[in-house]
PDB file of all heavy atoms in Angstrom:
ATOM      1  N   ASP A  66      52.508  76.329 -19.287  1.00  0.00           N
ATOM      2  CA  ASP A  66      53.862  75.782 -19.167  1.00  0.00           C
ATOM      3  C   ASP A  66      54.365  75.869 -17.727  1.00  0.00           C
ATOM      4  O   ASP A  66      54.978  74.934 -17.206  1.00  0.00           O
ATOM      5  CB  ASP A  66      54.824  76.525 -20.101  1.00  0.00           C
ATOM      6  CG  ASP A  66      54.538  76.243 -21.569  1.00  0.00           C
ATOM      7  OD1 ASP A  66      53.920  75.196 -21.860  1.00  0.00           O
ATOM      8  OD2 ASP A  66      54.925  77.075 -22.413  1.00  0.00           O
ATOM      9  N   LYS A  67      54.083  76.996 -17.065  1.00  0.00           N
ATOM     10  CA  LYS A  67      54.505  77.159 -15.672  1.00  0.00           C
ATOM     11  C   LYS A  67      53.798  76.141 -14.773  1.00  0.00           C
ATOM     12  O   LYS A  67      54.432  75.519 -13.911  1.00  0.00           O
ATOM     13  CB  LYS A  67      54.205  78.569 -15.184  1.00  0.00           C
ATOM     14  CG  LYS A  67      54.654  78.812 -13.759  1.00  0.00           C
ATOM     15  CD  LYS A  67      54.309  80.210 -13.317  1.00  0.00           C
ATOM     16  CE  LYS A  67      54.739  80.496 -11.890  1.00  0.00           C
ATOM     17  NZ  LYS A  67      54.312  79.551 -10.907  1.00  0.00           N
ATOM     18  N   ALA A  68      52.502  75.943 -14.992  1.00  0.00           N
ATOM     19  CA  ALA A  68      51.760  74.973 -14.190  1.00  0.00           C
ATOM     20  C   ALA A  68      52.284  73.564 -14.418  1.00  0.00           C
ATOM     21  O   ALA A  68      52.394  72.773 -13.473  1.00  0.00           O
ATOM     22  CB  ALA A  68      50.276  75.046 -14.528  1.00  0.00           C
ATOM     23  N   THR A  69      52.615  73.235 -15.647  1.00  0.00           N
ATOM     24  CA  THR A  69      53.157  71.911 -15.969  1.00  0.00           C
ATOM     25  C   THR A  69      54.489  71.694 -15.256  1.00  0.00           C
ATOM     26  O   THR A  69      54.727  70.632 -14.673  1.00  0.00           O
ATOM     27  CB  THR A  69      53.337  71.762 -17.491  1.00  0.00           C
ATOM     28  OG1 THR A  69      52.081  71.960 -18.125  1.00  0.00           O
ATOM     29  CG2 THR A  69      53.871  70.394 -17.854  1.00  0.00           C
ATOM     30  N   LYS A  70      55.351  72.710 -15.280  1.00  0.00           N
ATOM     31  CA  LYS A  70      56.648  72.585 -14.592  1.00  0.00           C
ATOM     32  C   LYS A  70      56.455  72.437 -13.085  1.00  0.00           C
ATOM     33  O   LYS A  70      57.143  71.659 -12.435  1.00  0.00           O
ATOM     34  CB  LYS A  70      57.516  73.803 -14.905  1.00  0.00           C
ATOM     35  CG  LYS A  70      58.039  73.813 -16.323  1.00  0.00           C
ATOM     36  CD  LYS A  70      58.845  75.057 -16.607  1.00  0.00           C
ATOM     37  CE  LYS A  70      59.244  75.106 -18.072  1.00  0.00           C
ATOM     38  NZ  LYS A  70      59.915  76.366 -18.422  1.00  0.00           N
ATOM     39  N   ASP A  71      55.525  73.225 -12.536  1.00  0.00           N
ATOM     40  CA  ASP A  71      55.271  73.128 -11.091  1.00  0.00           C
ATOM     41  C   ASP A  71      54.770  71.736 -10.714  1.00  0.00           C
ATOM     42  O   ASP A  71      55.175  71.179  -9.684  1.00  0.00           O
ATOM     43  CB  ASP A  71      54.246  74.181 -10.656  1.00  0.00           C
ATOM     44  CG  ASP A  71      54.818  75.595 -10.694  1.00  0.00           C
ATOM     45  OD1 ASP A  71      56.055  75.732 -10.750  1.00  0.00           O
ATOM     46  OD2 ASP A  71      54.015  76.550 -10.676  1.00  0.00           O
ATOM     47  N   LEU A  72      53.899  71.163 -11.534  1.00  0.00           N
ATOM     48  CA  LEU A  72      53.388  69.821 -11.243  1.00  0.00           C
ATOM     49  C   LEU A  72      54.475  68.768 -11.388  1.00  0.00           C
ATOM     50  O   LEU A  72      54.517  67.803 -10.622  1.00  0.00           O
ATOM     51  CB  LEU A  72      52.209  69.483 -12.159  1.00  0.00           C
ATOM     52  CG  LEU A  72      50.897  70.187 -11.829  1.00  0.00           C
ATOM     53  CD1 LEU A  72      49.868  69.906 -12.914  1.00  0.00           C
ATOM     54  CD2 LEU A  72      50.384  69.737 -10.482  1.00  0.00           C
ATOM     55  N   ASP A  73      55.335  68.942 -12.376  1.00  0.00           N
ATOM     56  CA  ASP A  73      56.425  67.991 -12.562  1.00  0.00           C
ATOM     57  C   ASP A  73      57.403  68.028 -11.385  1.00  0.00           C
ATOM     58  O   ASP A  73      57.991  67.009 -11.017  1.00  0.00           O
ATOM     59  CB  ASP A  73      57.179  68.276 -13.863  1.00  0.00           C
ATOM     60  CG  ASP A  73      56.363  67.898 -15.098  1.00  0.00           C
ATOM     61  OD1 ASP A  73      55.406  67.109 -14.946  1.00  0.00           O
ATOM     62  OD2 ASP A  73      56.669  68.400 -16.197  1.00  0.00           O
ATOM     63  N   ASN A  74      57.595  69.197 -10.794  1.00  0.00           N
ATOM     64  CA  ASN A  74      58.529  69.346  -9.676  1.00  0.00           C
ATOM     65  C   ASN A  74      57.917  68.919  -8.345  1.00  0.00           C
ATOM     66  O   ASN A  74      58.634  68.744  -7.368  1.00  0.00           O
ATOM     67  CB  ASN A  74      59.010  70.798  -9.571  1.00  0.00           C
ATOM     68  CG  ASN A  74      59.895  71.178 -10.744  1.00  0.00           C
ATOM     69  OD1 ASN A  74      60.552  70.332 -11.330  1.00  0.00           O
ATOM     70  ND2 ASN A  74      59.898  72.447 -11.093  1.00  0.00           N
ATOM     71  N   GLU A  75      56.616  68.773  -8.284  1.00  0.00           N
ATOM     72  CA  GLU A  75      55.934  68.402  -7.042  1.00  0.00           C
ATOM     73  C   GLU A  75      56.219  66.947  -6.707  1.00  0.00           C
ATOM     74  O   GLU A  75      56.076  66.055  -7.530  1.00  0.00           O
ATOM     75  CB  GLU A  75      54.431  68.611  -7.189  1.00  0.00           C
ATOM     76  CG  GLU A  75      53.646  68.323  -5.943  1.00  0.00           C
ATOM     77  CD  GLU A  75      53.959  69.279  -4.809  1.00  0.00           C
ATOM     78  OE1 GLU A  75      54.264  70.450  -5.071  1.00  0.00           O
ATOM     79  OE2 GLU A  75      53.903  68.824  -3.664  1.00  0.00           O
ATOM     80  N   GLN A  76      56.621  66.691  -5.476  1.00  0.00           N
ATOM     81  CA  GLN A  76      56.918  65.342  -5.004  1.00  0.00           C
ATOM     82  C   GLN A  76      55.724  64.810  -4.213  1.00  0.00           C
ATOM     83  O   GLN A  76      55.788  64.625  -3.006  1.00  0.00           O
ATOM     84  CB  GLN A  76      58.180  65.361  -4.133  1.00  0.00           C
ATOM     85  CG  GLN A  76      59.427  65.824  -4.840  1.00  0.00           C
ATOM     86  CD  GLN A  76      59.829  64.871  -5.948  1.00  0.00           C
ATOM     87  OE1 GLN A  76      59.651  63.669  -5.833  1.00  0.00           O
ATOM     88  NE2 GLN A  76      60.350  65.410  -7.030  1.00  0.00           N
ATOM     89  N   SER A  77      54.639  64.565  -4.897  1.00  0.00           N
ATOM     90  CA  SER A  77      53.417  64.148  -4.205  1.00  0.00           C
ATOM     91  C   SER A  77      53.498  62.718  -3.689  1.00  0.00           C
ATOM     92  O   SER A  77      52.874  62.384  -2.693  1.00  0.00           O
ATOM     93  CB  SER A  77      52.206  64.293  -5.135  1.00  0.00           C
ATOM     94  OG  SER A  77      52.374  63.481  -6.275  1.00  0.00           O
ATOM     95  N   ASP A  78      54.267  61.867  -4.336  1.00  0.00           N
ATOM     96  CA  ASP A  78      54.360  60.471  -3.890  1.00  0.00           C
ATOM     97  C   ASP A  78      55.070  60.337  -2.550  1.00  0.00           C
ATOM     98  O   ASP A  78      54.828  59.388  -1.809  1.00  0.00           O
ATOM     99  CB  ASP A  78      55.082  59.616  -4.929  1.00  0.00           C
ATOM    100  CG  ASP A  78      54.251  59.413  -6.183  1.00  0.00           C
ATOM    101  OD1 ASP A  78      53.026  59.592  -6.107  1.00  0.00           O
ATOM    102  OD2 ASP A  78      54.831  59.072  -7.223  1.00  0.00           O
ATOM    103  N   SER A  79      55.929  61.268  -2.224  1.00  0.00           N
ATOM    104  CA  SER A  79      56.670  61.163  -0.961  1.00  0.00           C
ATOM    105  C   SER A  79      55.784  61.417   0.247  1.00  0.00           C
ATOM    106  O   SER A  79      56.117  61.030   1.356  1.00  0.00           O
ATOM    107  CB  SER A  79      57.844  62.150  -0.962  1.00  0.00           C
ATOM    108  OG  SER A  79      57.347  63.479  -1.008  1.00  0.00           O
ATOM    109  N   THR A  80      54.647  62.065   0.044  1.00  0.00           N
ATOM    110  CA  THR A  80      53.762  62.369   1.165  1.00  0.00           C
ATOM    111  C   THR A  80      52.661  61.335   1.343  1.00  0.00           C
ATOM    112  O   THR A  80      51.878  61.439   2.279  1.00  0.00           O
ATOM    113  CB  THR A  80      53.116  63.756   0.983  1.00  0.00           C
ATOM    114  OG1 THR A  80      52.342  63.745  -0.216  1.00  0.00           O
ATOM    115  CG2 THR A  80      54.172  64.847   0.912  1.00  0.00           C
TER     116      THR A  80
END
Side-chain angles (χ1 to χ4, degrees):
D66 291 338
K67 182 181 180 308
T69 302
K70 288 178 185 174
D71 289 344
L72 286 173
D73 288 341
N74 292 332
E75 183 65 32
Q76 299 295 325
S77 60
D78 290 340
S79 64
T80 61

